[in-house]
Amino acid sequence: MRKYLIAANWKMNPPPKGWDAKDSPYRPQEKIEVVVFPTHLDLQACAKAGLTTGAQSGRPEQTGAFTGDVSMQMVQALGCRYVLCGHSDRRAFHLESDAFVAEQAAAAITHALIPIICIGETETERDAGKSKAVIERQVKPLKLTNDCIIAYEPVWAISRGDPNRPAATSADAEEMHAFIRSLLPKDLRDHIRLLYGGSMKASNVKELLAQPNIDGGLVGGASLKPEEFREIVKIASEK
Ligand code: PGA
């Protein structure tokens, strides 16, 4: 049984109102895992308040001349358990390559962090019928272990602040998730959790999670709205 994981990717936003309240939906839950991804500046406070936390990025090197960056080792020392590797924002704005993302994921594992490796095709790649080829290219360099998590985030479905952007249909998402699972090493295939990301909301989470190969979600925009996030967590917990 793969336990559902709902991740709140707050991106470059402050923690949402009430994040540290006793009944905050961002706190660890009984039936599912909930993990928050604040900015690096807010990581320590979130970890100290008892939230399960992850960093939005981390470099593989331990220290060095990498202005503006932090290392996997540093985020682990702050109390983080997870780290995002290769989010499409990082691939687009920081030019992170497939090989570099694989390096980050390997460094995360070395430092006892669980990498959530983000993959997904852009709209142009999708329109050119290259979705699966892109996914294959992104998965290929990864040195996966049982604990690794992969988030399929079709770039064209990521809200980027637009609450009306449609998510992938559950059938399309499932087709891609099943394809991703088929690419995994046989001995890990049933263990690795595959999250869906891209306009996941309270209104579509039930249908998405009903798919056999979707094991949770990486939620951006909707994770900034505490009441909507509470609903997402509730629906995921009921499954
Ligand atoms: P979204 O973001 O839920 O706002 O589409 C998801 C993500 O970028 O991780």
Side-chain angles (χ1 to χ4, degrees), residues 7 9 11 84 87-89 118 151 153-155 157-162 165 196-201 218-223:
N9 179 10
K11 309 189 183 186
L84 296 182
H87 186 277
S88 59
D89 289 344
C118 304
E153 297 206 298
V155 183
I158 294 180
S159 74
R160 300 203 62 85
D162 174 4
R165 171 145 325 171
Y196 169 80
S199 299
M200 187 180 253
K201 302 184 188 96
L218 179 51
V219 187
S223 79

Side-chain angles (χ1 to χ4, degrees), residues 2 20 43 47 49-50 58 60 76 78-79 81 107 113 134 144 148 154 159 168 182 197 200 216 236:
R2 298 183 295 264
D20 60 346
L43 275 177
Q76 197 271 343
L78 277 188
R81 297 253 310 276
L113 291 166
V134 169
L144 296 165
C148 290
S159 74
S182 76
M200 187 180 253

Side-chain angles (χ1 to χ4, degrees), residues 129-207:
K130 291 185 180 155
S131 303
K132 288 186 177 165
V134 169
I135 293 303
E136 217 168 337
R137 192 200 73 211
Q138 293 174 332
V139 169
K140 212 169 177 185
L142 301 173
K143 303 255 181 302
L144 296 165
T145 68
N146 253 339
D147 284 339
C148 290
I149 296 174
I150 294 179
Y152 170 60
E153 297 206 298
V155 183
W156 46 268
I158 294 180
S159 74
R160 300 203 62 85
D162 174 4
N164 298 319
R165 171 145 325 171
T169 65
S170 51
D172 284 350
E174 171 59 17
E175 185 186 341
M176 293 304 283
H177 279 236
F179 175 67
I180 295 163
R181 203 173 289 291
S182 76
L183 300 175
L184 303 179
K186 267 210 181 80
D187 54 329
L188 306 179
R189 205 167 279 168
D190 292 337
H191 300 283
I192 289 188
R193 286 180 285 182
L194 303 181
L195 313 183
Y196 169 80
S199 299
M200 187 180 253
K201 302 184 188 96
S203 58
N204 59 25
V205 62
K206 190 170 179 187
E207 213 191 318

Side-chain angles (χ1 to χ4, degrees), residues 55-69:
Q56 295 177 15
S57 69
R59 273 199 80 92
E61 302 83 356
Q62 297 195 5
T63 54
F66 300 102
T67 305
D69 277 317

Side-chain angles (χ1 to χ4, degrees), residues 1-13:
M1 260 300 273
R2 298 183 295 264
K3 196 173 185 178
Y4 281 148
L5 190 154
I6 298 290
N9 179 10
W10 293 339
K11 309 189 183 186
M12 200 174 72
N13 295 287

